Every structure is written in structure tokens, then in C-alpha cells.
Amino acid sequence: MNLRSGRLKGKMTSDAAQFTSSLDFDQRIFLADIQCNLAHTTMLKEQGIIPEDDADQILQALNELEEEGIDALDIDPSVEDIHMALENYVTSKVGEVAGFMHTGKSRNDQVATDLRLVLREELSTIQAHLLKFISGILDLADRHTETVMVGYTHLQHAQPTTFAHHLLSYAYALKRDYERVKDAYKRVDMCPLGSAALTTTSFPIDRKRTCELLGFSKILKNSIDGVSSRDFISETVSSLSILCITLSKICEELIIWSTYEFGLIEIAGEYSSTSSIMPQKKNPDVAEIARAKCAGVYGELVAILTILKSLPQSYNRDLQEVTPHLWSAVDSSHSLLNITADMLSTTEFNQERGEELAEANFSTATELADLMVKEKKLPFRVAHQIVGRTVSKAIEEGLKPSDINPKYIDMVAQELTGENLKLDGKLVKNALDPKKVVRTRNVIGGPAPEMVEEAISNLREFVDREIK
Ligand code: ARG
């Protein structure tokens, strides 16, 4: 049946048909559209809205289509979209009784339902992969609770930490990313079917039944909202964008840490490239591409928000243009997630270099100042000044942290306060030893191995709870 033959004279130009068709990206909702029609037709039949025999024929044709697959459809652009292509298929099988299928239903509630059905699946898979990633990070962290490295602020040496502690900073960020996606899922998992064009229908449809048949948790309670709302899309893509920020930061660190200057990690050959001219090169191309591809996801978010901004309520064809941006964001973030997870889990940490850097550049200075507060009851600001001056003097004189002893500190203390601190030599040595310093940071969230082990086990419990 030609949809246009009633109200309109003739066809769209082929350019206009191509321009407005959603068939390209509708392929993604093909199976969902069958599900949606199956549920709606079943409900129409149960409610006695359409003849039982006709309903059965329609249901059978839909089941056949599911088996035959999308290739059985005529997807010429003049067909407009998957909903019409599918209806045409059913008509070709059962004749014009196929038209009953569209009783009390519109493509407006249908497309909104289909998108939600597909997105539910996508988000479930992304959630599962996020848990797998977190779990992989925990396995890696478990092997590195004693692996000392320097922690950075401003990308300058700051304080000693461990590789495991740093890895857990990724794990916790990813846990929140997971929770955001899980939360977005709740609002994807709502059923607009039965909203019809925008004001429902006078047929006695049973919205609860179609909601149940499609496995949705809730019904969208207002039919205008049912066909207009795409906040489930902007929320999903926002949460994916935030996830991509975490992923891009991980990739960035893999890139920086694998430089000769840092030398902290070795990215696996499988995730590296070489140069066509410089034979010595090992480049972190996968991480670089990943870092860049995240930008595409933010671009999709901005496109989606911009399409939705100021749209009048109810259905506007503009909504169709949101869909390809949604799938692009979903696909990109999903592949970014998987590639980053695999790359990180195969990365080797250079323990020796970690220690070398942690020991080289006064990253333990805070602990030395803390020691003065603890042992000599100096106000922290005074201790800060003495240590700052000590470090500066040591650097001028070409001394290393391990060369600093109580006598050296007292030369500065004397000059600044007129008094000697007479710190205990052993305590000074310990305060300047990155491994020992890390052990003393045993408050919640700190890098002490036992705290990190506890965090690993808490996160493992979280992952196990969520997987089941
Ligand atoms: N293809 C459309 C979309 O993706 C659904 C059809 C609604 N079309 C209409 N003319 N009301 O949004």
C-alpha cells in the first residue's frame, strides 16, 4: 500500500526521498520493530480490537520475517523507513489485512519504542564490558600493590604512590561511569508504545500488556511525552561521553608513560605501530587514535543536544536525525572501552624505573615536613619552609634525597629559625624512603598496600554483585 496515495499527489523526488529516508540507520531497529509489532498485534488480538484470524496471520508473517532477516524487505528510499518496509512485507504475505497491524499505533510511538528496545541491549552489553574492564584492572592492581612509583600533580613529581593505587583511581572512576550508564538504563527502560501519534487512541488498547510483552519496567505516562522525549538518548550519550573522558585519560597516561623520558610502561606490540622511515620507532598509535576518537563521541552529544534544543513537544521529524548520532556514540564508546581495556591489561609496568623516579626528585619532601610536625611539634608551615629550603639547597649542591641527613637539615633550620631540630637519623631516612612513605599512608583511600588490598576486595565484591 502506498502511504502517499491518499493525501498526496505523486511521489517525492528521488533526492527528497533519499534525503528524508531513515532506512540506512533503521536497519539497527529491524528486529526491535518486529518485536514491537508482535507485541502490539498480540495485544490488539487479546483486546478483541482486530479479528483473531487476521491477527494470527500478521503474527505469522512477522515471525517469518524474523527468520528471513532484513534482506527480505524492500528498502527502496521511497519506502521512507523500516516501519513502512515491514508493513509492506506483511502486506505482501497476508494481503490488506496487514493494515490492522497499525490500528491504534503510529510510527511515532513505534520508533521511540524500537530505539529504547535496542538501546537497552546496547547498554547491558556496555555495562557488562565495563565490569570486565574493572575486574581486569583489579587483577593488574593485585600484582602491583608494592610497586612504587611517583605520583604527579601538574605532571610534576609530587608524592610517592604505587602503581596499584594509581590503577584503582581508574577503577573507581570506571565504577562511577558504570553506575551512570546503569542509571541511564532505568530511563531507557520505559515504554512509549500506545502513545500512538501523540494522544493515544480511542481503541481500548492495553498499554500495560504491551509494556509487559516487551519487558519494559515502566510505561511513559504521558503520550505527548511518549513520542517527544529523547532525553533517554541525551542522558545515555552524556554518560557515555563521561566514560570516554575516563578512557581518554587512561590512554593519555599510557602514551606519556611509555615515552623514553618516563619509561614507566611498555605497551604491548599488538597495540603499537612503527614508522615507515624511522626503523627504531614504537608508537602508541592505538592509544592515540582512542584519545582522538573520544572527541567524536562528544561531537555526537553536541549534535544530539543541538537537534533537541527548542523542539516543540510531540513528534517532529528532526527526531529522526538524532538516531544516527546515538548509534555512532554507542558504537564508538563501546569500541573505545574494549580496546582501552585490552591495551591496559597487556601493558607492562617497569618496576625499576618506577622506584628510580620515586627516589630521584624529592617526592618524599611532604613526609619530611610531616616528620618535623610529628616529632618536634613544629607548625606545618614552618616545617614546609625548612624542607622547601633544604630541597632547594640540595638541588643547588647536586645532592640526592638520600644525601639529606639531620645535620644537613639543621643547617637550614638554624638559618631560618635560629634553632637545631636534631631529628632522629633513622626517622629522617625512613621519611625520605618512598617505599616506607607509601606504607605510612594507611588512611581510607591511601596507597598503603593493605588499604589498596582492601579497596581491591571491596571493588571485587561490587563487580560480583553487579554481574549476578
Ligand atoms: N523514521 C522516523 C524516525 O526515525 C519515524 C517515522 C515517523 N515519521 C513520521 N512522519 N511521523 O523518527
Side-chain angles (χ1 to χ4, degrees):
M1 183 76 64
N2 180 357
L3 190 62
R4 301 170 59 86
S5 62
R7 174 69 177 82
L8 299 170
K9 292 192 193 75
K11 294 192 197 164
M12 264 189 177
T13 69
S14 63
D15 279 354
Q18 186 73 54
F19 187 72
T20 51
S21 169
S22 54
L23 275 164
D24 270 357
F25 45 87
D26 276 350
Q27 319 234 350
R28 192 128 180 184
I29 55 171
F30 167 64
L31 289 174
D33 207 49
I34 296 179
Q35 257 186 290
C36 182
N37 277 299
L38 282 170
H40 187 70
T41 309
T42 304
M43 179 277 293
L44 292 175
K45 170 180 149 182
E46 288 172 359
Q47 292 294 102
I49 298 172
I50 62 172
E52 213 170 305
D53 285 356
D54 297 337
D56 286 339
Q57 284 189 61
I58 294 168
L59 293 173
Q60 197 189 332
L62 288 168
N63 284 323
E64 278 167 23
L65 177 58
E66 185 166 1
E67 261 168 42
E68 285 175 41
I70 196 160
D71 292 341
L73 294 183
D74 169 17
I75 51 168
D76 184 85
S78 63
V79 178
E80 283 194 30
D81 56 28
I82 199 89
H83 318 294
M84 291 320 301
L86 191 142
E87 196 176 310
N88 291 346
Y89 171 91
V90 178
T91 309
S92 75
K93 292 280 164 175
V94 305
E96 70 179 6
V97 293
F100 279 126
M101 192 169 80
H102 212 57
T103 314
K105 172 165 75 61
S106 155
R107 287 182 292 170
N108 299 350
D109 59 342
Q110 204 173 323
V111 71
T113 307
D114 295 354
L115 292 174
R116 287 167 183 272
L117 284 171
V118 178
L119 194 50
R120 264 192 338 194
E121 296 301 310
E122 297 288 355
L123 292 188
S124 295
T125 327
I126 290 178
Q127 283 181 59
H129 288 169
L130 261 165
L131 291 176
K132 202 168 145 229
F133 188 11
I134 294 171
S135 180
I137 291 178
L138 298 181
D139 291 345
L140 189 58
D142 221 5
R143 304 200 289 276
H144 287 285
T145 54
E146 311 262 353
T147 306
V148 166
M149 63 177 279
V150 65
Y152 296 82
T153 62
H154 312 265
L155 209 54
Q156 302 285 334
H157 287 193
Q159 294 177 340
T161 181
T162 65
F163 186 42
H165 187 233
H166 194 87
L167 284 170
L168 288 200
S169 74
Y170 297 161
Y172 280 107
L174 289 164
K175 175 175 181 275
R176 290 190 301 279
D177 293 329
Y178 169 86
E179 286 165 341
R180 260 186 292 272
V181 174
K182 186 177 173 186
D183 214 55
Y185 182 99
K186 286 190 219 154
R187 281 167 290 278
V188 173
D189 188 21
M190 295 173 91
C191 187
L193 194 61
S195 299
L198 74 162
T199 62
T200 72
T201 174
S202 58
F203 288 105
I205 59 168
D206 183 352
R207 290 197 63 195
K208 288 194 181 137
R209 180 69 176 133
T210 41
C211 174
E212 176 194 274
L213 284 168
L214 293 170
F216 281 109
S217 296
K218 283 186 185 155
I219 289 177
L220 277 155
K221 293 277 170 58
N222 176 283
S223 59
I224 297 179
D225 181 45
V227 295
S228 13
S229 60
R230 293 294 186 274
D231 55 294
F232 70 97
I233 293 182
S234 39
E235 184 178 3
T236 292
V237 179
S238 299
S239 65
L240 294 177
S241 296
I242 298 172
L243 161 65
C244 285
I245 292 191
T246 309
L247 301 175
S248 71
K249 285 163 63 109
I250 296 174
C251 290
E252 172 79 358
E253 293 197 325
L254 292 179
I255 294 165
I256 296 177
W257 291 6
S258 66
T259 57
Y260 185 81
E261 285 74 7
F262 276 76
L264 276 176
I265 56 164
E266 184 81 27
I267 296 176
E270 288 89 334
Y271 298 96
S272 310
S273 305
T274 187
S275 156
S276 61
I277 177 168
M278 298 166 281
Q280 86 286 8
K281 291 281 276 182
K282 183 178 178 198
N283 294 329
D285 289 35
V286 177
E288 290 173 299
I289 294 284
R291 186 172 61 175
K293 271 191 197 275
C294 291
V297 178
Y298 314 143
E300 303 301 12
L301 175 63
V302 172
I304 290 166
L305 295 174
T306 314
I307 295 169
L308 295 177
K309 181 197 161 289
S310 314
L311 270 191
Q313 279 298 67
S314 180
Y315 186 82
N316 299 277
R317 194 68 183 273
D318 313 47
L319 293 178
Q320 176 175 300
E321 285 303 294
V322 169
T323 307
H325 297 292
L326 166 66
W327 300 137
S328 157
V330 165
D331 291 343
S332 292
S333 33
H334 201 165
S335 66
L336 279 162
L337 169 63
N338 291 344
I339 204 93
T340 309
D342 293 345
M343 185 164 48
L344 182 62
S345 71
T346 52
T347 291
E348 292 287 339
F349 190 86
N350 181 344
Q351 223 150 310
E352 241 170 70
R353 180 65 174 156
E355 279 173 31
E356 186 191 333
L357 288 176
E359 281 163 11
N361 193 20
F362 300 94
S363 69
T364 48
T366 315
E367 193 56 33
L368 185 57
D370 287 348
L371 179 70
M372 295 172 185
V373 177
K374 286 179 203 159
E375 293 296 310
K376 304 294 167 186
K377 305 290 172 243
L378 280 191
F380 182 74
R381 275 288 154 257
V382 177
H384 183 278
Q385 200 189 19
I386 296 171
V387 177
R389 192 72 66 84
T390 306
V391 168
S392 159
K393 183 172 155 69
I395 290 172
E396 266 167 39
E397 293 168 3
L399 300 178
K400 295 193 295 292
S402 53
D403 298 324
I404 307 296
N405 57 29
K407 263 173 101 183
Y408 193 80
I409 294 167
D410 277 344
M411 285 195 284
V412 176
Q414 185 58 251
E415 192 186 309
L416 284 173
T417 66
E419 281 173 45
N420 286 329
L421 287 175
K422 297 203 178 86
L423 285 163
D424 179 90
K426 180 103 182 21
L427 293 180
V428 168
K429 204 163 180 290
N430 288 349
L432 292 168
D433 178 343
K435 281 193 183 148
K436 296 222 163 81
V437 169
V438 157
R439 283 183 198 289
T440 61
R441 312 221 153 203
N442 57 2
V443 299
I444 297 173
E450 74 270 23
M451 296 315 290
V452 171
E453 275 155 24
E454 194 180 317
I456 292 175
S457 111
N458 290 340
L459 282 165
R460 282 219 168 102
E461 277 170 29
F462 164 78
V463 170
D464 291 345
R465 259 198 320 273
E466 292 298 316
I467 280 177
K468 65 164 179 40

